[in-house]
Amino acid sequence: MKSRRSYRAFFAGLAVLAGVAAPAFAEEPVQPIEPPKEINLAQAELGKKLYFDPRLSRSGFISCNSCHNLSMGGTDNLKTSIGHKWQRGPINAPTVLNSSLNVAQFWDGRAADLQEQAGGPIANPKEMGFSHTLAVDLLASIPGYVTEFRLVFGTGEIDIERVTHAIAEFEKTLVTPNAPFDRWLLGEADAISPQALEGYQLFKNSGCVACHYGPGLGGSSFQKMGLVAPYPTHNEAIGLAAVTGNEADRFKFKVPTLRNIELTYPYFHDGEAQTMTEAVDVMGRIQLGRTFSDAENASIVAFLRTLTGDQPRFELPQLPPSSDTTPPPIPFD
Amino acid sequence: MKSRRSYRAFFAGLAVLAGVAAPAFAEEPVQPIEPPKEINLAQAELGKKLYFDPRLSRSGFISCNSCHNLSMGGTDNLKTSIGHKWQRGPINAPTVLNSSLNVAQFWDGRAADLQEQAGGPIANPKEMGFSHTLAVDLLASIPGYVTEFRLVFGTGEIDIERVTHAIAEFEKTLVTPNAPFDRWLLGEADAISPQALEGYQLFKNSGCVACHYGPGLGGSSFQKMGLVAPYPTHNEAIGLAAVTGNEADRFKFKVPTLRNIELTYPYFHDGEAQTMTEAVDVMGRIQLGRTFSDAENASIVAFLRTLTGDQPRFELPQLPPSSDTTPPPIPFD
């Protein structure tokens, strides 16, 4: 996990080494998103298929893409998700976009990385309702997958580590560079409007940036929801305390990324803020002890809209068909 | 609706007009699928977005693609579909692939064409659980759609006719040409195996082709399920009789296309046949009064596997985001 300071030092250092002027964003607490690097394309292609494959759920109906929909900002745009047999999920589905930048996964950080996260929903009775053993056995019954695992991993032996590794490799490709704000950071002065620039200044000066910093504008740290005033919610999640057992961590959640926030409504871990205007207002009051005026709120929202980057572009994957020995899905018991 | 004879006459006529030898398939009861023609691309692009948009359902969770999944042969690979609030659908979801070739839509033919079909599930309380009025109002609250409707239809006025017209235009693009069997029909002698060719001869000689003819190998007529022996099922659908009110039409269903059958399991209107082997066996016994030997069955299945064509290739669409005035989805009442 890189701190704000280390990012600044890193970029400043780069500039010194290169013997050139520091980049426009060297002194900014937000950095541009970089395009993905060092991707194993074969693994990512396999992972893309798995990401879209509802056979990884007991019902045969729910895939990773059901709740982290890549047509919709990597979310489902629901307060909380719909799981196996239409169960109501406990928490708002965070976007998968740029999730490789996160310090940890899930709102409470209980998974260290994308690979660990990917195994969670498959085996969660409220989400995909399957098990790792059943998922692996199912994939092993599909000749097209066996061949592709052999190509990608050098062995047709399918196990949950390889499955989640491939999904994670695909998810690493899901970054969204080239947002208007990134182009501004990189020196394109008219890439954002004067109102948005004003919003960015206010975003920095009023303290939003204390949590929403770095290339992800969030995802780098945990913070208490309701820092200066309590946050009223019916949601039962207690955040990081569920992982650490430490009472001081109660209601501490991973700071969500603001990248593509225009697409990832509704907001907060309980999904109770439907609009950016509402979210900015609530954040000001309960995290900063500040009531933004309508004009201030509007300028911050204008800034937030500049954070929508290039969405992932790829062909809808074609899944290898089941074989005669593939266990049929069980949507209704 | 073109009959088998008119197709033959058409192709033979073409050959005469062109002053060339008749094409290899002129005397065959099956014709190659032709690539889509006269597509309005702007309408189809808009329709693609609508096809993938779960906001056309009350829950915000179910899109056309949920049950007619274009990663999975245009079906959901379930016996019967999962609808709003996990309701069990009444019938197997037919593939959307090549559905433009069908004489009518739905198993009982109650919709004349793709446009009429597209409006059905949106307003069906057991499927997407929405209404046409709510769907149209929702789309009208999304600036990105209003702009695109203006571009495509010359007006930002959204109505259900334009919505379903655009979806139908997209669906017209979902044909799957270039199957190995089509390449054989077009003269590529080694495009299919000797076993598959044997299967095709048996398919013709034993009478399968009486219903499964034309470029769709089905989709052109209605036939009674259980023609020579009753078909035992718990499914309550009565087929064409529900549309005509004519007792003679009881258990008459639209003959399903065999195109891409390798991908569209499970089979029959009740989805009770899990494998092609089982489907061929049942069809032989109840439609033809004939029990295929294992070797015969295997050769027919080998033929059926040659009917998998080029699947639709396109980029996953990006949906325009909701606005602050868009009514939120209602997944849980």
Side-chain angles (χ1 to χ4, degrees), chain A residues 90-160:
Chain A
I91 208 158
N92 181 260
T95 179
V96 68
L97 298 178
N98 306 302
S99 54
S100 57
L101 305 177
N102 290 345
V103 61
Q105 303 301 328
F106 293 118
W107 279 95
D108 58 11
R110 67 183 181 275
D113 55 27
L114 290 175
Q115 180 173 10
E116 190 180 340
Q117 190 282 332
I122 294 172
N124 187 324
K126 288 193 148 186
E127 300 187 22
M128 296 164 85
F130 220 28
S131 78
H132 290 174
T133 305
L134 290 170
V136 164
D137 287 354
L138 182 132
L139 294 172
S141 76
I142 299 170
Y145 273 129
V146 174
T147 305
E148 192 159 345
F149 272 83
R150 193 172 289 132
L151 171 76
V152 169
F153 290 107
T155 167
E157 291 267 315
I158 301 179
D159 60 25
I160 193 67

Side-chain angles (χ1 to χ4, degrees), chain B residues 11-158:
Chain B
F11 285 116
L14 260 192
V16 170
L17 280 174
V20 296
F25 56 86
E27 289 305 311
E28 297 298 335
V30 177
Q31 291 80 41
I33 285 192
E34 297 188 18
K37 285 180 187 137
E38 298 185 23
I39 297 295
N40 181 321
L41 271 184
Q43 287 178 5
E45 280 301 308
L46 170 58
K48 186 195 298 174
K49 291 193 181 84
L50 296 168
Y51 188 91
F52 278 84
D53 201 327
R55 287 171 295 187
L56 291 180
S57 67
R58 178 172 170 88
S59 64
F61 190 62
I62 299 179
S63 70
C64 304
N65 194 64
S66 296
C67 299
H68 303 282
N69 192 327
L70 294 170
S71 296
M72 292 160 50
T75 69
D76 53 14
N77 294 146
L78 301 176
K79 285 187 184 183
T80 65
S81 297
I82 294 170
H84 185 62
K85 294 192 170 177
W86 215 265
Q87 287 175 90
R88 189 196 292 249
I91 208 158
N92 182 262
T95 180
V96 67
L97 298 178
N98 306 302
S99 55
S100 58
L101 304 178
N102 289 345
V103 61
Q105 304 301 329
F106 294 117
W107 280 95
D108 57 10
R110 67 183 183 277
D113 55 28
L114 290 175
Q115 181 175 8
E116 190 180 340
Q117 190 281 333
I122 294 172
N124 188 322
K126 287 192 150 187
E127 300 187 21
M128 296 164 85
F130 220 28
S131 78
H132 290 174
T133 304
L134 290 171
V136 164
D137 287 352
L138 182 134
L139 294 172
S141 76
I142 299 171
Y145 272 130
V146 174
T147 305
E148 193 158 345
F149 272 82
R150 194 171 289 132
L151 171 76
V152 168
F153 290 108
T155 166
E157 291 268 314
I158 300 178

Side-chain angles (χ1 to χ4, degrees), chain A residues 65-86:
Chain A
N65 194 63
S66 297
C67 300
H68 302 281
N69 191 325
L70 294 170
S71 296
M72 294 161 48
T75 68
D76 53 14
N77 294 146
L78 301 176
K79 285 186 184 184
T80 65
S81 296
I82 294 170
H84 184 62
K85 294 192 171 177
W86 214 266

Side-chain angles (χ1 to χ4, degrees), chain A residues 28-51:
Chain A
E28 296 297 335
V30 177
Q31 291 79 42
I33 285 191
E34 296 187 19
K37 286 182 186 135
E38 297 184 24
I39 297 295
N40 181 321
L41 272 183
Q43 287 178 5
E45 280 300 309
L46 170 57
K48 186 195 299 173
K49 291 193 180 84
L50 296 168
Y51 188 90

Side-chain angles (χ1 to χ4, degrees), chain B residues 26 67 106 110 114 171 177 182 194 226 268 278 298 306:
Chain B
C67 299
F106 294 117
R110 67 183 183 277
L114 290 175
E171 291 176 339
D182 285 358
F268 304 153
E278 187 182 344
T306 70

